Amino acid sequence: MDQQRLTALELMQDGPVIPVIVLNDPAHAVPMAQALVAGGVRVLEVTLRTPQGLSCIEAIARAVPEAIVGAGTVRSAGDAQACANAGARFAVSPGYTSALGRACQELRLPLLPGVATSGEIMAAQADGFNELKFFPAVQAGGSAMLKAWQGPFGDVRFCPTGGISQGNAREFLALKNVVCVGGSWLVPVEAMEQGDWSRITALAREAVALRAV
């Protein structure tokens, strides 16, 4: 993928796993992104759970053009603006509000809104969002909930995140309404602290192989 503007669905279709990345040290951002790209994982969600999130997004956007870096834990219009300014190419939110949806639409920033209930799905769809993050997936009903939603929400595509691991990812990816999953197991904290970038590349390759479900 090049630098063209991508839809949420195109971002989800790029690979079976979107890594959910929490960075405490900005020095880890670029080598971590390079390691993931080397393993075939290009769509990266860097969360705003730490004060370093925005600077890490900016560093990756500048230094690793092969990566498609986005922002996670986006909760407000201000967050969306700050992420766009930092070079984020998409946003992921833990929940959904119309104010956030409008802000991202005005910024032309693809948004993957978080939902956990049928009412939240309907609210997001009413504002034009049909590609959604199911969060927290395991805690909110897991694959059984996604199967139940296939009937009433057959036009919605999901990225389940929250409790997804290498061990249960295939269970979710096998569902017809799941395009990809989100997970943090691709970027273990200890691997980043030790600078073990080859381990992250290996985990990325294993994640890409999950496509063959």
Side-chain angles (χ1 to χ4, degrees), residues 16-17 41 166 173 185-186 202-211:
V17 183
V41 174
Q166 195 170 18
L173 289 166
W185 82 87
L186 278 70
L203 288 167
R205 289 197 179 108
E206 291 171 5
V208 171
L210 289 170
R211 175 71 80 191

Side-chain angles (χ1 to χ4, degrees), residues 37-63:
V37 169
V41 174
R42 298 175 291 183
V43 177
L44 316 181
E45 177 191 338
V46 176
T47 71
L48 302 185
R49 297 180 193 178
T50 67
Q52 296 80 17
L54 284 172
S55 62
C56 291
I57 290 168
E58 189 171 8
I60 294 169
R62 183 176 59 250

Side-chain angles (χ1 to χ4, degrees), residues 7-59:
T7 66
L9 183 58
E10 287 169 336
L11 290 161
M12 293 166 73
Q13 290 172 332
D14 193 60
V17 183
I18 297 175
V20 179
I21 302 161
V22 180
L23 286 162
N24 293 295
D25 186 346
H28 294 158
V30 169
M32 178 274 308
Q34 290 170 332
L36 287 168
V37 169
V41 174
R42 298 175 291 183
V43 177
L44 316 181
E45 177 191 338
V46 176
T47 71
L48 302 185
R49 297 180 193 178
T50 67
Q52 296 80 17
L54 284 172
S55 62
C56 291
I57 290 168
E58 189 171 8

Side-chain angles (χ1 to χ4, degrees), residues 28-211:
H28 294 158
V30 169
M32 178 274 308
Q34 290 170 332
L36 287 168
V37 169
V41 174
R42 298 175 291 183
V43 177
L44 316 181
E45 177 191 338
V46 176
T47 71
L48 302 185
R49 297 180 193 178
T50 67
Q52 296 80 17
L54 284 172
S55 62
C56 291
I57 290 168
E58 189 171 8
I60 294 169
R62 183 176 59 250
V64 194
E66 318 93 281
I68 303 166
V69 63
T73 325
V74 175
R75 296 167 50 193
S76 67
D79 285 346
Q81 183 68 67
C83 294
N85 292 345
R89 295 178 63 189
F90 65 95
V92 183
S93 61
Y96 181 71
T97 66
S98 288
L100 177 59
R102 282 194 303 272
C104 289
Q105 286 166 340
E106 289 170 3
L107 290 165
R108 298 183 66 202
L109 184 69
L111 173 66
L112 194 59
V115 299
T117 68
S118 297
E120 291 168 351
I121 294 172
M122 291 170 67
Q125 279 201 293
D127 290 344
F129 296 95
N130 292 305
E131 289 78 39
L132 307 174
K133 165 184 167 178
F134 176 35
F135 176 81
V138 170
Q139 297 86 343
S143 59
M145 182 67 84
L146 286 162
K147 287 176 185 175
W149 280 339
Q150 287 176 357
F153 300 114
D155 54 343
V156 179
R157 296 294 174 265
F158 293 97
C159 172
T161 305
I164 310 296
S165 67
Q166 195 170 18
N168 65 8
R170 285 186 186 274
E171 172 191 343
F172 287 89
L173 289 166
L175 299 174
K176 65 181 181 181
N177 57 350
V178 170
V179 179
C180 64
V181 300
S184 59
W185 82 87
L186 278 70
V187 283
V189 172
E190 64 273 16
M192 286 198 283
E193 289 177 347
Q194 296 164 9
D196 190 354
W197 310 120
S198 61
R199 180 182 174 195
I200 290 176
T201 295
L203 288 167
R205 289 197 179 108
E206 291 171 5
V208 171
L210 289 170
R211 175 71 80 191

